[in-house]
Amino acid sequence: MAKKSVASLRTSSKKLVKAIKMVKSPKTGAYTFVESVMAPDFADDFFNAKK
């Protein structure tokens, strides 16, 4: 199960998004959250990445 969230952040001239996805650990089975701030163009790549 993957849960994802995108929040829009606006700085002076750039538009950035903060992407958060929930990743299940294969070793323990626990869920962790992975966060990243990036340009909106790279958000889909972030969510589609396996790790």
Side-chain angles (χ1 to χ4, degrees), residues 1 3 5 9 18-20 22 28 30 39 41 43 46-47 49 51:
M1 177 181 176
K3 189 170 190 168
S5 173
L9 305 173
K18 180 177 182 181
I20 305 169
M22 190 167 65
T28 63
D41 301 336
F46 174 73
F47 289 123
K51 192 169 186 185

Side-chain angles (χ1 to χ4, degrees), residues 13-31:
S13 64
K14 296 181 183 178
K15 184 175 180 186
L16 301 173
V17 295
K18 180 177 182 181
I20 305 169
K21 71 177 174 179
M22 190 167 65
V23 179
K24 186 173 183 179
S25 171
K27 192 173 189 179
T28 63
Y31 286 96

Side-chain angles (χ1 to χ4, degrees), residues 24-50:
K24 186 173 183 179
S25 171
K27 192 173 189 179
T28 63
Y31 286 96
T32 59
F33 293 96
V34 178
E35 299 180 13
S36 182
V37 176
M38 66 195 79
D41 301 336
F42 300 113
D44 288 333
D45 295 336
F46 174 73
F47 289 123
N48 292 333
K50 289 291 180 181

Side-chain angles (χ1 to χ4, degrees), residues 1-12:
M1 177 181 176
K3 189 170 190 168
K4 55 186 174 179
S5 173
V6 175
S8 295
L9 305 173
R10 188 160 276 243
T11 59
S12 60

